[in-house]
Amino acid sequence: MEKRLKKSRYISGFDGIRTIAVIGVILYHLFPYGMTGGFLGVPIFFVVSGYLITDLLIQEYDQNHRIDIKSFYYRRMKRLYPALITMVMTTAAFVTLFARDSLDKLRSVIVSNVFYVYNWFQVANHESYFDKFGNQSPFTHLWSLSIEGQFYLLWPVVILLMLRFFRSKQTNFDILLIAAFVSALLMIILFKPGQDPSRVYYGTDTRMFSILLGAALAFLWPSNKLKTNLQKGPRLFLDGVGLGALFLIILLFFKMNGESELVYLGGMFFFSLLSVILIATIAHPGADMDRLMTNRVFTWIGKRSYGIYLYQYPIMIFYEQKIANVANHPWFHALIEITLILVVSDISYRFLELPLQHFNYSRTFAVIKDLCSKNSSYGWKRIWAVIATLIVVTATWGAVEKPPRASVSDSDSNALQKVIKNNNKQAKKQNETTGKKEKSTKTVDKGEATSSSEKQPTKENKKQDGKLTAAQQAQAKKMSITAVGDSVLADGSSTMQDIFPQMYVDAKVGRQVHDALPILNSLAQNGKLSNTVLISLGTNGPFTESDMKQIMDVVGSKRKVYWINVNVPTQRWQDQVNQALAKEQKKYSNLTVIDWYSYSKDHPEWFYSDNVHPSPDGLPYFGNYVAQALLK
């Protein structure tokens, strides 16, 4: 078969780049607080796409003096649609049969993915990329494919116009570079510090700079016009720059954080520039980076990277929904999930993507007719057509069916949200009342000794599940406490403020440990930080030693800090958080860890269906247990 582009070359090292990118993304989804910057694998994909597509379009124009836009769309659809439609419809069918809690908006999800506008659907519905709790969507990761789909739709027209009206490659480079700066500037302008960054994370306008930077590179660094033989000096220079960029990319996979302000105030743009540098050194045939990034493992993964990216999220979501306690063996479950992802992706690549990429779609109706005939030439293979038909029918059923009435888990979720909302309102009112009261309980705040009966529950009290004695209740009413936490504290704030009327509560759903620092700092500066500080954080992810040091420095050594550890069996970071707290308790003499995990782990009946937040049945146990620790 004659090559479509006579001077094009296959750059095997790009499979290596794709491998690094998809590994980063998968490890981020599996261990979001281990490889905190793994989400940066997506900008790498964007830069590669921008460079390769633009480079091929320029080659086509140089060779034929035209760009066959219709043929371009046809090739892209043959490459991308089979696996995308298969993943979307199979996942929708699975949701219809086994995860009916997720049926809401399924029709809109399917349609928006088919037309590559799913990222804007997520923006319109205020969906968070960083919320690791709740009923997570198995389609969340498809936002990036929508951006690429929009790019493929517009780009051949844009490039054709640029090549016809601006002959100078430098001019075209400058135009794309300016456009990339505008996109990055939009990210900076639209980013709101302290708020969920998902709007700028999902937006085509705020993420296009990565693709535009790759496209700009194609004008100054055409793959088919680079010198094959370079002198030793330039070759070593390119190798050194490429290795340096690769090192920084891997380092940032571990150091960057998707919720950090730095990422959206130029950090992601800088990372995209690093990706451009790495791609440029790999694309150059005179350097050694292409060979360095080429091996059998990278080639195998790189060729399947599209399928790996597609199937990874639904496999993770559905697998972890069926495992009651992922936290007990996080690496074991991660290994199982990775194996499933690779197996499914390989099957998709061999039996779906490759065959349909070379399929003559003008024969579609003839093939369907053959499949339905009595003496079909496909024989037993018709079973795959039957399976595909059942999947499509089931997915369609789920898309048109009205969402079911709230299930037990849905009811629990709605009840919890209502409790937290009401608690936040009540806490705000009580905080205002508490702030007006005179600080008349300094002796209690300083933790002066109380009688042994007040410090330790009696045997009778232990039988009563830790209920407070009359003396303890009286002591609690006088005690001034500042409490900062996440949704667990928000859930229990009303219970805690009933016990401690002078407790000031600042609790928010989804709060990370590092988010507590500015809150505590503000309270300390305004003289509103009590001598007893209660912290309930770690539900949404682990913390670093630096996070703890900064918090303890703000609180100071004269205040007593009580930190409730976490019972979050559905997340891999449970043990990481609890072990870190136990370690930090030995380091700080004024830090006491309240071991809620050990007290509650064998009592699933105390929790909502998420196994994390205490239910109305469990809140008395939560409140009394925490109160016993605070009153000692």
Side-chain angles (χ1 to χ4, degrees), residues 300 304 311 341-353 355 384:
W300 192 92
R304 292 157 180 79
Y311 299 113
I341 292 166
L342 293 178
V343 169
V344 171
S345 302
D346 185 53
I347 292 172
S348 173
Y349 180 74
R350 291 173 184 268
F351 302 108
L352 178 73
E353 296 171 54
W384 294 112

Side-chain angles (χ1 to χ4, degrees), residues 187-415:
M187 175 176 275
I188 293 172
I189 293 171
L190 295 177
F191 173 70
K192 305 296 182 184
Q195 297 182 16
D196 189 303
S198 293
R199 160 60 185 92
V200 294
Y201 192 88
Y202 288 139
T204 307
D205 52 350
T206 52
R207 295 301 300 268
M208 200 66 186
F209 59 80
S210 299
I211 294 177
L212 292 171
L213 288 173
L217 176 66
F219 277 99
L220 292 188
W221 205 264
S223 64
N224 63 328
K225 295 181 180 179
L226 299 171
K227 292 182 179 179
T228 304
N229 298 313
L230 285 179
Q231 294 182 355
K232 185 177 180 180
R235 178 172 61 82
L236 291 177
F237 174 77
L238 284 177
D239 292 345
V241 170
L243 287 171
L246 178 61
F247 171 78
L248 288 175
I249 284 171
I250 294 174
L251 180 66
L252 290 175
F253 272 2
F254 291 94
K255 296 296 183 181
M256 272 206 172
N257 187 310
E259 295 177 81
S260 167
E261 293 183 13
L262 178 63
V263 172
Y264 307 98
L265 299 179
M268 200 177 293
F269 184 81
F270 171 74
F271 184 88
S272 298
L273 287 175
L274 287 177
S275 302
V276 169
I277 294 170
L278 178 60
I279 287 166
T281 60
I282 292 175
H284 203 298
D288 298 305
M289 289 300 295
D290 184 27
R291 290 185 289 276
L292 177 66
M293 297 294 289
T294 301
N295 58 63
R296 290 184 178 181
V297 174
F298 280 7
T299 298
W300 192 92
I301 296 176
K303 288 183 180 297
R304 292 157 180 79
S305 58
Y306 177 58
I308 291 172
Y309 184 86
L310 267 177
Y311 299 113
Q312 42 125 2
Y313 215 65
I315 288 174
M316 291 177 191
I317 295 293
F318 295 140
Y319 177 84
E320 292 178 15
Q321 283 179 354
K322 302 302 179 183
I323 304 299
N325 202 330
V326 174
N328 278 358
H329 305 285
W331 284 101
F332 173 74
H333 291 298
L335 184 61
I336 293 176
E337 291 173 63
I338 291 171
T339 302
L340 289 172
I341 292 166
L342 293 178
V343 169
V344 171
S345 302
D346 185 53
I347 292 172
S348 173
Y349 180 74
R350 291 173 184 268
F351 302 108
L352 178 73
E353 296 171 54
L354 280 182
L356 291 183
Q357 193 172 343
H358 299 97
F359 178 69
N360 182 1
Y361 282 87
S362 64
R363 297 185 59 249
T364 301
F365 290 107
V367 170
I368 293 174
K369 185 177 179 180
D370 188 5
L371 285 168
C372 296
S373 67
K374 193 172 183 180
N375 299 314
S376 173
S377 60
Y378 289 94
W380 67 271
K381 293 181 181 178
R382 286 187 295 179
I383 191 172
W384 294 112
V386 174
I387 293 173
T389 302
L390 289 174
I391 288 173
V392 171
V393 169
T394 306
T396 305
W397 169 35
V400 300
E401 184 185 15
K402 290 183 179 179
R405 291 183 178 180
S407 63
V408 174
S409 59
D410 269 343
S411 299
D412 271 3
S413 178
N414 293 335

Side-chain angles (χ1 to χ4, degrees), residues 447-459:
E448 288 189 0
T450 56
S451 68
S452 59
S453 63
E454 291 175 324
K455 293 177 70 174
Q456 298 292 341
T458 63
K459 291 181 180 179

Side-chain angles (χ1 to χ4, degrees), residues 546-582:
S546 175
D547 291 331
M548 177 62 78
K549 184 179 186 304
Q550 291 181 72
I551 287 173
M552 296 305 291
D553 284 347
V554 168
V555 172
S557 59
K558 294 183 179 180
R559 292 185 177 92
K560 186 69 177 173
V561 179
Y562 294 86
W563 197 308
I564 306 171
N565 70 7
V566 299
N567 182 1
V568 51
T570 56
Q571 303 297 338
R572 291 180 170 83
W573 55 78
Q574 172 190 270
D575 293 347
Q576 183 181 350
V577 169
N578 291 342
Q579 289 167 9
L581 284 173

Side-chain angles (χ1 to χ4, degrees), residues 88-141:
V88 169
M89 298 305 283
T90 303
T91 303
F94 187 94
V95 167
T96 302
L97 295 176
F98 306 110
R100 297 179 64 79
D101 294 350
S102 302
L103 272 180
D104 188 34
K105 300 177 183 175
L106 183 61
R107 176 173 29 185
S108 299
V109 169
I110 294 174
V111 172
S112 59
N113 272 296
V114 169
F115 289 99
Y116 284 120
V117 291
Y118 183 58
N119 63 317
W120 290 114
F121 170 84
Q122 292 171 298
V123 170
N125 286 275
H126 306 288
E127 294 186 5
S128 174
Y129 184 76
F130 302 98
D131 183 5
K132 304 305 178 186
F133 272 103
N135 192 17
Q136 294 186 67
S137 169
F139 303 99
T140 298
H141 63 307

